[in-house]
Amino acid sequence: MSYCDICGAEIGINRYSIGKGRWICPKCSHLLDSKKVGFFERRRLSTDDLKAKIMPQINSERIAIDLAQNRIQQFLRKNPTKIDDFFWFSEKDDLFAIPEQQFVGGLFNGKKEVVDVRVYKISNVIGYKVIEDGITISKGGLGRAFVGGILFGEVGAVVGAITGEKKENKKVTELRIDIEMNDTATPLVTLSMFTKGLVMSTDNMTYTYYLENLRKIASTINVFLKRNESKDCGVVLDKFEQVKKYKDLLDSGIITQEEYDKKRKELLEL
Ligand SMILES: [Zn+2]
């Protein structure tokens, strides 16, 4: 085992020589590339000089990694329900998280690891679309266009039908869910089930695995939507109840017609 001369990380066979007995890791080599420090300069400069050139980047990267680890740990402390490492949620905290996965390690001993999480409010979810190669295969949502609940019925049925079509073996390059949010800062949260550009055969076990997890995610979001919808209904009922109360106050002569009209207008947003 040897160590990177610049950042001190352990390095295996994937290392770069910067002169006799001096090695650096791929990440430092990449950073030196970005600073246009080429083959000859690497050998000419001392380790300290090389360090000075890229240490700010290494440090800011470390800080970013630490912060990301913090976010992950914070969310895990909520004991979230996990749909594999695709979708985590904690209903009591009104939060869901999309873990960012990355392939870490070498070509043969590498594995997927969660390197960061994006965290959002469950109560802000207003809809979703499941998209396969640009085509919406299932969707659901709140609001006027979706009165009564979910278009296209239960997502499980739709996706189930697709998994059932084993005979038709397609190639798919994109499988994702777009979650629509009632939040101007993040109106759309996208979760891709696999790296865009990979080609998946629909008869492949891996694809079935992605689709199965996506079905679970969509079903969970359907539950969120039903909850959020009943909350909206609650607010509406509340408004009418309040108007009724003001009507009682008017009828018993406590408030004037003018005051009642004003309140009624306000509450019903007329
Ligand atoms: Zn290094």
Side-chain angles (χ1 to χ4, degrees):
M1 185 63 67
S2 51
Y3 296 90
C4 173
D5 235 27
I6 295 177
C7 73
E10 273 186 9
I11 39 180
I13 48 167
N14 202 1
R15 59 186 185 176
Y16 296 81
S17 172
I18 54 164
K20 206 180 173 218
R22 295 164 69 211
W23 301 95
I24 58 170
C25 73
K27 195 187 263 178
C28 286
S29 175
H30 183 74
L31 286 172
L32 285 173
D33 283 341
S34 73
K35 293 278 164 193
K36 301 201 181 342
V37 180
F39 184 87
F40 294 107
E41 214 180 342
R42 289 178 193 200
R43 281 161 177 74
R44 188 173 59 77
L45 291 175
S46 70
T47 299
D48 279 344
D49 287 344
L50 290 173
K51 249 187 203 170
K53 285 200 180 287
I54 60 171
M55 221 48 205
Q57 277 91 328
I58 292 175
N59 284 336
S60 70
E61 230 175 89
R62 267 196 198 136
I63 291 165
I65 290 169
D66 285 349
L67 285 174
Q69 286 300 321
N70 239 330
R71 281 193 289 272
I72 296 168
Q73 289 313 317
Q74 259 180 33
F75 202 85
L76 288 176
R77 255 179 254 134
K78 300 180 190 304
N79 288 317
T81 307
K82 287 183 172 187
I83 299 175
D84 213 313
D85 275 339
F86 294 110
F87 191 89
W88 300 346
F89 62 97
S90 168
E91 280 185 284
K92 66 177 188 322
D93 298 292
D94 185 31
L95 293 173
F96 72 92
I98 296 185
E100 302 278 0
Q101 295 188 71
Q102 225 175 63
F103 210 73
V104 176
L107 202 54
F108 300 105
N109 57 1
K111 60 177 173 16
K112 273 200 154 182
E113 244 174 50
V114 174
V115 293
D116 201 354
V117 280
R118 293 181 277 154
V119 180
Y120 307 97
K121 276 187 137 165
I122 291 173
S123 55
N124 276 344
V125 175
I126 51 174
Y128 72 89
K129 277 183 190 151
V130 175
I131 294 161
E132 189 186 62
D133 277 354
I135 294 160
T136 302
I137 57 173
S138 181
K139 64 178 174 179
L142 298 177
R144 252 174 293 169
F146 305 99
V147 170
I150 313 303
L151 272 185
F152 288 79
E154 187 63 32
V155 68
V158 180
V159 176
I162 291 157
T163 33
E165 288 169 13
K166 282 264 160 65
K167 279 163 213 147
E168 192 217 343
N169 175 21
K170 294 188 292 180
K171 303 272 185 237
V172 172
T173 56
E174 184 193 26
L175 183 65
R176 68 168 209 264
I177 184 164
D178 284 351
I179 305 167
E180 293 146 30
M181 306 289 289
N182 184 23
D183 177 6
T184 48
T186 318
L188 196 68
V189 173
T190 289
L191 162 56
S192 290
M193 298 307 285
F194 55 84
T195 315
K196 214 182 162 193
L198 273 181
V199 181
M200 289 273 165
S201 261
T202 51
D203 66 347
N204 191 300
M205 290 246 303
T206 316
Y207 191 76
T208 313
Y209 159 78
Y210 287 134
L211 208 54
E212 187 53 36
N213 278 294
L214 189 52
R215 189 189 63 76
K216 286 182 198 161
I217 294 164
S219 302
T220 304
I221 293 173
N222 269 335
V223 174
F224 294 167
L225 285 171
K226 276 173 194 158
R227 302 235 166 107
N228 291 347
E229 199 163 51
S230 61
K231 255 182 239 154
D232 278 351
C233 288
V235 172
V236 172
L237 283 179
D238 212 41
K239 282 181 199 165
F240 287 117
E241 268 165 17
Q242 283 189 57
V243 173
K244 258 174 134 182
K245 275 176 201 155
Y246 282 109
K247 182 71 168 67
D248 289 343
L249 291 174
L250 171 70
D251 290 344
S252 41
I254 296 167
I255 58 170
T256 66
Q257 182 72 45
E258 202 181 323
E259 286 164 332
Y260 167 74
D261 286 344
K262 198 179 152 213
K263 268 291 162 197
R264 183 175 163 275
K265 233 179 177 174
E266 256 175 46
L267 283 164
L268 301 180
E269 289 158 22
L270 297 170

